[in-house]
Amino acid sequence: MNLRVGTDDVRSRLRHPMKFARGLGSAKQGADHWWVQRITAAALIALGLWFLVTVLSLLHADYASAKAAVAKPWNALLLILFVVTAFWHAVLGLQVVIEDYVHIRWKEVALLVAIKFLAVLGALAGVLAVLRIALGV
Amino acid sequence: MANAQRPLSPHLQVYRWQIQMVTSILHRATGIALAVGTLLVVWGILALASGEAAFAQFKTCIGSPLGLILLLGWSWSLSYHLCNGIRHLVQDVGAGYAIPQFVRSSWLSVIGSVVLTVVIWACVLIHGGAA
């Protein structure tokens, strides 16, 4: 999607800049951030409630039965979905907080990169651990 | 850039506290807390995958007094972010923007989160204590 307006692009002289801005806006991402934040939020209503109930049902489980519960196909799948969606939603939310409150540019960028690294690390670690439990590797 | 000496707009302390402000601030604060809490979830799953000793250590940590205080905080954060998140999704479709409705839904979020937290810990107590 290359919608940038080049200065020597003949279209930019013949068409109003609004034509290129409309839909994607000045950040070139349109409503993507907003929309994905809402989709992950909606998913997390169901996944979060499932997670709560599952954890409460495992309160007194010993190691073997806790492991067996996570290894069940549906539980493994939902746990992976929960962890990935939670980290995704967390990054989108933390990003806005950082953009709002960190006004020194290099610190802002460093934090934005750091939370993305940390989220990918956390999500992958969670997924691999669930897979290891579920597949019995 | 904030380095420049520019006049600041009136900040939080000049406003009279009202529930709509509280719910907005709490949504951010609990969101940040939950982001950290998600790391705890990963720790738990990793411990479960690593073996019995690691999982026992994890259970000891979250069962300690400090661990329980953190769990209480996280369970309320989750309850609040869930209730208020649903409220925001409803507002996103354009509903509930009249001031009385806005105030009422704010209180609903706060009260709902406390009720949900109490239900969670009642479950824990009925099952005979944590972890």
Side-chain angles (χ1 to χ4, degrees), chain A residues 4-17:
Chain A
R4 243 173 292 163
V5 185
T7 42
D8 46 10
D9 186 343
V10 73
R11 290 177 307 164
S12 64
R13 277 177 271 135
L14 297 176
R15 290 182 188 171
H16 197 275

Side-chain angles (χ1 to χ4, degrees), chain B residues 3 5 13 15 20 30 38 40 49 59 63 67-68 80 84-85 99 102 104 108 113-114 117 120 129:
Chain B
N3 317 20
Q5 290 291 314
Q13 59 269 23
Y15 296 108
Q20 306 94 298
T30 51
T38 315
L40 178 93
K59 276 180 102 169
L68 286 173
Y80 177 78
N84 202 50
I99 292 172
F102 208 87
R104 194 181 336 129
L108 264 178
S113 72
V114 174
T117 312
I120 292 170

Side-chain angles (χ1 to χ4, degrees), chain A:
Chain A
M1 269 202 297
N2 187 9
L3 293 175
R4 243 173 292 163
V5 185
T7 42
D8 46 10
D9 186 343
V10 73
R11 290 177 307 164
S12 64
R13 277 177 271 135
L14 297 176
R15 290 182 188 171
H16 197 275
M18 184 58 94
K19 160 119 182 73
F20 301 98
R22 192 162 279 153
L24 291 176
S26 59
K28 307 280 181 279
Q29 291 182 342
D32 224 43
H33 181 285
W34 188 92
W35 186 233
V36 176
Q37 195 172 34
R38 267 67 191 176
I39 292 175
T40 50
L44 281 170
I45 296 175
L47 291 170
L49 285 172
W50 167 83
F51 179 76
L52 259 182
V53 171
T54 306
V55 169
L56 286 175
S57 73
L58 289 174
L59 271 183
H60 286 290
D62 56 5
Y63 177 70
S65 48
K67 207 170 170 179
V70 172
K72 281 184 187 158
W74 275 107
N75 283 349
L77 174 67
L78 289 170
L79 192 53
I80 286 175
L81 281 176
F82 174 69
V83 168
V84 172
T85 315
F87 273 114
W88 196 351
H89 188 78
V91 162
L92 294 174
L94 290 177
Q95 182 192 336
V96 178
V97 174
I98 291 167
E99 286 168 348
D100 279 357
Y101 300 128
V102 182
H103 299 300
I104 295 164
R105 186 62 177 156
W106 71 266
K107 282 186 188 171
E108 184 187 345
V109 173
L111 277 171
L112 289 174
V113 172
I115 57 160
K116 289 204 167 81
F117 279 2
L118 207 60
V120 172
L121 187 73
L124 270 183
V127 169
L128 285 175
V130 173
L131 284 180
R132 192 175 167 189
I133 295 165
L135 302 177
V137 190

